[in-house]
Short mmCIF file of all heavy atoms in Angstrom, two decimals:
data_model
loop_
_atom_site.label_atom_id
_atom_site.label_comp_id
_atom_site.label_asym_id
_atom_site.label_seq_id
_atom_site.Cartn_x
_atom_site.Cartn_y
_atom_site.Cartn_z
N PHE A 1 111.08 94.15 95.21
CA PHE A 1 110.15 94.60 96.24
C PHE A 1 110.12 93.64 97.42
O PHE A 1 109.98 94.06 98.56
CB PHE A 1 108.75 94.81 95.66
CG PHE A 1 108.57 96.18 95.05
CD1 PHE A 1 108.89 96.40 93.73
CD2 PHE A 1 108.11 97.24 95.81
CE1 PHE A 1 108.74 97.66 93.16
CE2 PHE A 1 107.96 98.50 95.26
CZ PHE A 1 108.28 98.71 93.93
N ARG A 2 110.26 92.35 97.15
CA ARG A 2 110.33 91.37 98.24
C ARG A 2 111.54 91.65 99.14
O ARG A 2 111.45 91.54 100.36
CB ARG A 2 110.41 89.95 97.69
CG ARG A 2 109.10 89.42 97.18
CD ARG A 2 109.21 87.94 96.80
NE ARG A 2 108.14 87.61 95.89
CZ ARG A 2 108.27 87.48 94.57
NH1 ARG A 2 109.45 87.60 94.01
NH2 ARG A 2 107.23 87.20 93.82
N GLN A 3 112.65 92.00 98.52
CA GLN A 3 113.85 92.31 99.28
C GLN A 3 113.67 93.56 100.15
O GLN A 3 114.39 93.74 101.12
CB GLN A 3 115.05 92.49 98.34
CG GLN A 3 115.46 91.22 97.65
CD GLN A 3 116.49 91.44 96.56
OE1 GLN A 3 116.95 92.55 96.32
NE2 GLN A 3 116.85 90.37 95.87
N GLN A 4 112.69 94.39 99.79
CA GLN A 4 112.40 95.60 100.55
C GLN A 4 111.28 95.37 101.57
O GLN A 4 110.81 96.30 102.19
CB GLN A 4 112.02 96.74 99.61
CG GLN A 4 113.12 97.13 98.65
CD GLN A 4 112.66 98.09 97.59
OE1 GLN A 4 111.60 98.70 97.69
NE2 GLN A 4 113.45 98.25 96.54
N GLY A 5 110.84 94.12 101.70
CA GLY A 5 109.86 93.78 102.73
C GLY A 5 108.42 93.70 102.28
O GLY A 5 107.54 93.47 103.11
N LEU A 6 108.14 93.86 100.99
CA LEU A 6 106.77 93.73 100.48
C LEU A 6 106.62 92.34 99.87
O LEU A 6 107.30 92.01 98.90
CB LEU A 6 106.48 94.81 99.43
CG LEU A 6 105.09 94.79 98.81
CD1 LEU A 6 104.01 95.07 99.87
CD2 LEU A 6 104.99 95.79 97.67
N GLU A 7 105.76 91.52 100.45
CA GLU A 7 105.54 90.18 99.91
C GLU A 7 104.69 90.31 98.66
O GLU A 7 103.54 90.74 98.72
CB GLU A 7 104.85 89.29 100.94
CG GLU A 7 104.67 87.87 100.46
CD GLU A 7 105.96 87.19 100.04
OE1 GLU A 7 107.00 87.40 100.70
OE2 GLU A 7 105.93 86.45 99.04
N VAL A 8 105.26 89.94 97.53
CA VAL A 8 104.58 90.08 96.24
C VAL A 8 104.33 88.70 95.64
O VAL A 8 105.25 87.90 95.52
CB VAL A 8 105.42 90.93 95.25
CG1 VAL A 8 104.71 91.06 93.91
CG2 VAL A 8 105.73 92.30 95.83
N VAL A 9 103.09 88.46 95.27
CA VAL A 9 102.72 87.26 94.52
C VAL A 9 102.41 87.73 93.11
O VAL A 9 101.56 88.60 92.92
CB VAL A 9 101.49 86.57 95.14
CG1 VAL A 9 101.05 85.39 94.29
CG2 VAL A 9 101.79 86.13 96.56
N ALA A 10 103.11 87.17 92.12
CA ALA A 10 102.93 87.62 90.74
C ALA A 10 102.48 86.46 89.87
O ALA A 10 103.06 85.38 89.90
CB ALA A 10 104.22 88.22 90.20
N SER A 11 101.44 86.71 89.09
CA SER A 11 100.93 85.75 88.12
C SER A 11 100.81 86.47 86.78
O SER A 11 100.06 87.44 86.67
CB SER A 11 99.57 85.23 88.57
OG SER A 11 99.00 84.42 87.57
N ILE A 12 101.57 86.01 85.80
CA ILE A 12 101.62 86.71 84.52
C ILE A 12 101.35 85.70 83.41
O ILE A 12 102.02 84.67 83.32
CB ILE A 12 102.99 87.38 84.32
CG1 ILE A 12 103.26 88.34 85.48
CG2 ILE A 12 103.04 88.11 82.99
CD1 ILE A 12 104.67 88.82 85.57
N ASP A 13 100.38 86.01 82.58
CA ASP A 13 100.03 85.14 81.45
C ASP A 13 99.86 86.01 80.21
O ASP A 13 98.80 86.55 79.95
CB ASP A 13 98.74 84.38 81.75
CG ASP A 13 98.34 83.45 80.61
OD1 ASP A 13 99.19 83.17 79.73
OD2 ASP A 13 97.18 83.02 80.60
N LEU A 14 100.96 86.18 79.47
CA LEU A 14 100.94 86.95 78.23
C LEU A 14 100.95 86.00 77.04
O LEU A 14 101.63 84.98 77.06
CB LEU A 14 102.13 87.90 78.17
CG LEU A 14 102.17 88.96 79.26
CD1 LEU A 14 103.49 89.71 79.24
CD2 LEU A 14 101.01 89.92 79.10
N ALA A 15 100.22 86.34 76.01
CA ALA A 15 100.04 85.45 74.86
C ALA A 15 101.37 85.07 74.20
O ALA A 15 101.61 83.91 73.89
CB ALA A 15 99.10 86.07 73.84
N TYR A 16 102.26 86.04 74.01
CA TYR A 16 103.53 85.75 73.35
C TYR A 16 104.37 84.81 74.20
O TYR A 16 104.92 83.83 73.71
CB TYR A 16 104.30 87.04 73.07
CG TYR A 16 105.71 86.80 72.58
CD1 TYR A 16 105.94 86.41 71.27
CD2 TYR A 16 106.80 86.91 73.43
CE1 TYR A 16 107.23 86.16 70.81
CE2 TYR A 16 108.09 86.66 72.98
CZ TYR A 16 108.29 86.29 71.68
OH TYR A 16 109.57 86.03 71.23
N GLU A 17 104.47 85.11 75.48
CA GLU A 17 105.33 84.30 76.34
C GLU A 17 104.71 82.94 76.63
O GLU A 17 105.41 82.01 76.98
CB GLU A 17 105.66 85.08 77.61
CG GLU A 17 106.57 86.26 77.25
CD GLU A 17 106.93 87.15 78.41
OE1 GLU A 17 106.29 87.07 79.46
OE2 GLU A 17 107.85 87.95 78.23
N GLY A 18 103.40 82.82 76.45
CA GLY A 18 102.74 81.53 76.57
C GLY A 18 102.66 80.80 75.25
O GLY A 18 101.97 79.79 75.12
N GLU A 19 103.33 81.35 74.23
CA GLU A 19 103.40 80.79 72.88
C GLU A 19 102.04 80.66 72.21
O GLU A 19 101.82 79.79 71.38
CB GLU A 19 104.16 79.46 72.89
CG GLU A 19 105.59 79.61 73.36
CD GLU A 19 106.37 78.30 73.36
OE1 GLU A 19 105.81 77.25 72.99
OE2 GLU A 19 107.55 78.35 73.74
N ARG A 20 101.11 81.57 72.56
CA ARG A 20 99.81 81.60 71.90
C ARG A 20 99.76 82.67 70.82
O ARG A 20 98.77 82.80 70.12
CB ARG A 20 98.70 81.84 72.93
CG ARG A 20 98.55 80.71 73.95
CD ARG A 20 97.40 80.93 74.90
NE ARG A 20 97.30 82.26 75.47
CZ ARG A 20 97.95 82.68 76.57
NH1 ARG A 20 98.78 81.85 77.21
NH2 ARG A 20 97.78 83.89 77.03
N HIS A 21 100.82 83.45 70.74
CA HIS A 21 100.90 84.50 69.72
C HIS A 21 102.34 84.56 69.24
O HIS A 21 103.28 84.36 70.01
CB HIS A 21 100.48 85.84 70.34
CG HIS A 21 100.17 86.88 69.32
ND1 HIS A 21 101.13 87.67 68.76
CD2 HIS A 21 99.00 87.24 68.76
CE1 HIS A 21 100.57 88.49 67.89
NE2 HIS A 21 99.27 88.24 67.87
N ARG A 22 102.53 84.86 67.96
CA ARG A 22 103.87 84.81 67.39
C ARG A 22 104.69 86.07 67.62
O ARG A 22 105.91 86.05 67.50
CB ARG A 22 103.79 84.54 65.89
CG ARG A 22 103.27 83.17 65.58
CD ARG A 22 103.30 82.88 64.12
NE ARG A 22 102.56 83.91 63.39
CZ ARG A 22 102.53 84.03 62.08
NH1 ARG A 22 103.20 83.20 61.34
NH2 ARG A 22 101.82 84.97 61.50
N HIS A 23 104.05 87.19 67.91
CA HIS A 23 104.77 88.46 68.00
C HIS A 23 104.64 89.08 69.38
O HIS A 23 103.58 89.03 70.00
CB HIS A 23 104.23 89.45 66.96
CG HIS A 23 104.31 88.93 65.56
ND1 HIS A 23 105.50 88.83 64.87
CD2 HIS A 23 103.35 88.45 64.74
CE1 HIS A 23 105.26 88.32 63.68
NE2 HIS A 23 103.96 88.08 63.57
N ARG A 24 105.74 89.68 69.81
CA ARG A 24 105.71 90.44 71.06
C ARG A 24 104.99 91.76 70.83
O ARG A 24 104.85 92.22 69.70
CB ARG A 24 107.14 90.76 71.52
CG ARG A 24 107.83 89.57 72.15
CD ARG A 24 109.24 89.87 72.55
NE ARG A 24 109.32 90.93 73.56
CZ ARG A 24 110.44 91.24 74.18
NH1 ARG A 24 111.56 90.60 73.91
NH2 ARG A 24 110.45 92.20 75.07
#
């Protein structure tokens, strides 16, 4: 979307990817 001209700020905090949960 940035390449298409929309400035996107993304903040993602998922338990699995933050190693707070063992399963996706």
